[in-house]
């Protein structure tokens, strides 16, 4: 309901808010948005500020931003991102940061190159350091296989350009398990660099489609520091939370934090939601619904899914990702990072199962305490928070036990779960047109979908994907 006449007192009070509120427990909007992560927040700002539509964001956490996390050292210094750390430098991304007065800056070149080129390879299962044989380098020290991989990434980029919109027969290469793809084209050496981007529990057996979606042309170009394409950028505040704190300040009462959808009714004429908030339940009526939350088993039950939606979402398998910050490791200052490399060339030195992926020194300048490390734990869907937390210290203890490095008394000072990540389907489902079927859900019963199940999981790509949805969402409003 849009109020057009504020002559009466009750209507006048309602006009003070961009949301029409018939009562404290009833809200009517143009678009309800489930999920206030990066994508849901972006959509809310665009719809409300640029298209003058009423919106309501429903977010289960106590802040916006989803996977962004920043740790503030207790004795000062600059914050340390340990969730989303960098952004592809795209026009949509720069514009969104700029509208909230947050500039994007280049990475510290010294730290960047040290982390990329001087990180130590350690098998975290044994605790032993070793030198993987990634094959020959060119005259500039770039792995020859990386250049070959980049050729394939460029060739197949149309399948991943701001989503999975391309139709037709999927190339056989993209249907192969990633390990077979690497072996077929002699590309294993590309992992000397690309290993830093492969955050998967079982990459070797994952269809190449899902690896190349996030380790593809845009990401390889970004590693080139702007020489071969837009580079990675960092927020000038060194905290990705800054942007979303300012988004929340802007949206204010159009956001329900610590709130979840308890039930819903989605129809051809609109959507009705029952939302559980800290102060009780609220009824929400919306003309359109945008679901920016992950369609994982722990989320979907209140969404009034039909048989087709249930069938499609059930085909996804999921992994888990946890992120954190560790201090007091005692690792020498000459070590910029430790990377988990399984000492098994038959699997291209890629670990699998539940494991700590890496420890990366947070910085080497006077603005950051010297012994702070970001880390991440990757696992299958059954890995619990407690198990992931314990793995962070267990891996360091193993390194100490075998004498690779002297470890002091490390402590996990920040820790967060990213929940279900890396949604995948089988090669058989891909070949049968899974994403064509998934995308056909857009608009059905006035519901639209965005987020990491719908496009490659990089915030700038998800924002560009969401841009493509906006005209459909706005139609008829």
């Amino acid at each position: 309901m849009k109020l057009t006449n504020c002559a009466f007192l009750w209507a006048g009070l309602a006009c003070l808010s961009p949301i029409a509120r018939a009562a404290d427990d009833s809200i009517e909007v143009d678009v309800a948005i489930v999920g206030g992560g990066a994508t849901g927040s972006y959509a809310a700002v665009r719809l409300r500020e640029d298209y003058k539509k009423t919106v309501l964001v429903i977010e289960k956490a106590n802040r916006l931003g989803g996977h962004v996390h920043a740790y503030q050292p207790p004795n000062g210094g600059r914050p340390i991102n340990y969730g989303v750390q960098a952004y592809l430098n795209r026009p949509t991304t720069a514009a969104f940061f700029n509208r909230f007065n947050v500039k994007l800056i280049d990475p510290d070149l010294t730290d960047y190159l040290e982390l990329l080129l001087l990180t130590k390879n350690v098998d975290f299962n044994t605790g032993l350091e070793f030198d993987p044989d990634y094959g020959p380098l060119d005259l500039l020290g770039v792995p020859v296989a990386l250049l070959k991989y980049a050729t394939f990434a460029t060739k197949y980029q149309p399948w991943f350009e701001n989503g999975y919109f391309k139709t037709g027969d999927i190339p056989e290469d993209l249907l192969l398990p990633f390990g077979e793809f690497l072996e077929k084209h002699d590309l294993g050496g590309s992992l000397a660099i690309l290993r830093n981007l492969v955050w998967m529990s079982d990459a070797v057996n994952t269809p190449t489609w899902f690896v190349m979606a996030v380790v593809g042309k845009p990401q390889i170009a970004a590693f080139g520091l702007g020489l071969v394409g837009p580079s990675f950028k960092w927020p000038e505040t060194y905290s990705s939370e800054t942007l979303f704190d300012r988004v929340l300040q802007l949206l204010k009462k159009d956001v329900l934090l610590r709130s979840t959808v308890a039930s819903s009714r989605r129809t051809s004429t609109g959507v009705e939601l029952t939302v559980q908030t800290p102060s009780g339940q609220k009824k929400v009526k919306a003309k359109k619904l945008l679901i920016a939350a992950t369609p994982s088993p722990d989320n979907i039950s209140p969404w009034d899914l039909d048989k087709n939606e249930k069938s499609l979402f059930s085909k996804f398998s999921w992994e888990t990702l946890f992120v954190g910050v560790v201090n007091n490791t005692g690792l020498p200052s000459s070590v910029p990072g430790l990377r988990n490399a399984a000492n098994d060339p038959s699997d291209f030195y890629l670990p699998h199962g539940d494991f700590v992926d890496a420890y990366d020194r947070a910085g080497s300048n006077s603005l950051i305490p010297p012994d702070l490390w970001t880390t991440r734990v990757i696992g299958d869907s059954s890995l619990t928070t407690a198990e992931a937390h314990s793995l962070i210290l267990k891996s360091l203890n193993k390194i100490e036990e075998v004498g690779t490095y002297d470890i002091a008394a490390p402590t996990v000072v920040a820790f967060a779960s990213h929940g279900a990540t890396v949604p995948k389907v089988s090669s058989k489902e891909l070949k049968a047109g899974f994403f064509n079927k998934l995308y056909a859900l857009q608009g059905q019963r006035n519901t639209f979908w965005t987020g990491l199940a719908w496009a490659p999981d990089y915030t700038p790509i998800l924002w560009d994907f969401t841009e493509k949805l906006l005209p459909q969402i706005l139609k008829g409003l």
Side-chain angles (χ1 to χ4, degrees):
M1 176 179 69
K2 289 187 177 179
L3 296 176
T4 57
N5 188 340
C6 294
F8 298 100
L9 176 60
W10 69 269
L13 293 173
C15 284
L16 294 176
S17 170
I19 293 179
R21 300 176 187 269
D24 286 345
D25 60 352
S26 181
I27 302 171
E28 294 186 17
V29 292
D30 292 321
V31 184
I33 300 172
V34 177
T39 310
S41 297
Y42 177 86
V45 171
R46 291 282 282 131
L47 287 167
R48 200 190 82 168
E49 297 300 303
D50 299 330
Y51 293 102
K52 309 306 177 187
K53 304 303 176 185
T54 55
V55 301
L56 178 70
V57 180
I58 303 159
E59 169 53 42
K60 65 182 179 181
N62 62 358
R63 60 172 179 80
L64 297 179
H67 293 170
V68 302
H69 308 284
Y71 171 72
Q72 181 62 58
N75 296 321
R78 76 186 189 200
I80 297 166
N81 279 321
Y82 64 98
V84 177
Q85 299 185 23
Y87 294 83
L88 296 169
N89 186 20
R90 294 180 160 206
T92 301
T93 302
F96 194 61
F97 273 88
N98 284 339
R99 81 184 295 163
F100 290 97
N101 261 339
V102 182
K103 293 181 181 178
L104 290 172
I105 61 174
D106 292 322
D108 181 283
L109 185 59
T110 300
D111 287 349
Y112 179 85
L113 291 176
E114 284 184 353
L115 190 61
L116 188 63
L117 302 175
L118 300 179
T119 289
K120 307 299 182 181
N121 291 288
V122 176
D123 187 328
F124 290 179
N125 281 329
T126 66
L128 297 173
E129 185 177 329
F130 74 103
D131 290 320
D133 181 8
Y134 285 118
L137 307 177
D138 69 8
L139 294 176
L140 297 176
V142 177
V144 172
L146 177 61
L147 303 177
K148 291 174 62 179
Y149 184 99
T151 300
F152 284 100
T154 300
K155 177 181 178 180
Y156 294 131
Q157 177 59 22
W159 291 95
F160 312 112
E161 191 64 38
N162 297 331
Y164 309 124
F165 294 98
K166 185 174 171 58
T167 58
D169 294 335
I170 295 176
E172 187 64 27
D173 276 344
L174 297 179
L175 299 175
L176 289 175
F178 186 55
E180 291 185 23
F181 170 72
L182 293 176
E183 186 172 2
K184 174 183 175 181
H185 298 291
D186 193 22
L187 298 174
S190 65
L191 295 176
I193 299 296
L194 299 182
R195 169 66 184 85
N196 297 282
L197 297 174
V198 180
W199 295 13
M200 294 182 176
S201 176
D202 189 14
V204 169
N205 294 306
T206 295
T208 299
W209 171 287
F210 295 102
V211 181
M212 196 165 283
V214 292
V215 188
K217 180 183 175 182
Q219 294 79 22
I220 295 171
F223 267 140
L225 298 173
L227 299 178
V228 293
S231 66
F232 285 118
K233 295 286 187 178
W234 272 248
E236 65 173 349
T237 62
Y238 293 95
S239 169
S240 293
E241 291 184 2
T242 304
L243 172 67
F244 296 98
D245 288 345
R246 294 179 184 179
V247 170
L248 180 59
Q249 186 177 16
L250 174 71
L251 296 178
K252 294 180 180 176
K253 292 183 179 180
D254 294 349
V255 178
L256 296 177
L257 296 178
R258 294 183 293 162
S259 301
T260 56
V261 175
S263 64
S264 59
R265 181 171 176 265
R266 298 161 44 215
T267 72
S268 60
T269 57
V271 177
E272 297 177 359
L273 306 174
T274 300
V275 180
Q276 185 65 50
T277 77
S279 60
Q281 288 194 339
K282 295 184 182 294
K283 300 294 185 181
V284 178
K285 289 185 178 181
K287 297 173 184 176
K288 302 284 182 78
L289 175 66
L290 176 62
I291 297 184
T294 304
S296 53
D298 57 322
N299 280 338
I300 61 177
S301 61
W303 293 353
D304 186 26
L305 300 182
D306 64 23
K307 183 177 179 180
N308 185 40
E309 291 165 341
K310 289 179 181 177
S311 175
L312 287 169
F313 295 157
S314 73
K315 297 181 189 300
F316 280 123
S317 64
W318 299 88
E319 298 184 7
T320 51
L321 174 65
F322 299 85
V323 294
V325 179
V326 184
N327 74 354
N328 200 29
T329 67
L331 287 164
S333 59
S334 59
V335 175
L338 300 179
R339 178 171 57 192
N340 191 354
N343 195 353
D344 183 0
S346 68
D347 277 347
F348 305 97
Y349 308 107
L350 290 169
H352 61 87
D354 302 333
F355 57 88
V356 176
D357 188 56
Y359 302 94
D360 298 329
R361 191 180 294 275
S364 60
N365 58 61
S366 60
L367 298 176
I368 300 176
D371 198 1
L372 280 172
W373 303 74
T374 60
T375 187
R376 52 192 173 268
V377 181
I378 294 168
D380 65 26
S381 59
S382 65
L383 180 65
T384 68
T385 298
E387 290 168 341
H389 192 281
S390 68
L391 279 174
I392 293 175
L393 299 181
K394 181 179 178 181
S395 296
L396 290 170
N397 290 337
K398 189 65 178 181
I399 291 169
E400 159 83 11
E401 178 186 316
V402 298
T404 300
Y405 292 104
D406 291 329
I407 303 298
T411 302
V412 179
V413 296
F415 185 78
S417 170
H418 283 188
T421 59
V422 195
K424 305 181 295 294
V425 299
S426 68
S427 293
K428 179 181 178 181
E429 292 294 340
L430 280 173
K431 190 172 184 178
F434 174 81
F435 281 104
N436 296 335
K437 299 171 187 176
L438 191 72
Y439 277 30
L441 299 180
Q442 298 287 10
Q444 291 186 16
R445 293 189 293 160
N446 287 294
T447 302
F448 297 85
W449 309 82
T450 186
L452 60 82
W454 303 82
D457 187 16
Y458 272 74
T459 297
I461 296 175
L462 294 173
W463 287 348
D464 284 332
F465 171 84
T466 302
E467 280 293 320
K468 290 178 176 290
L469 282 185
L470 292 180
Q472 300 175 57
I473 297 171
L474 290 164
K475 188 176 181 180
L477 290 181

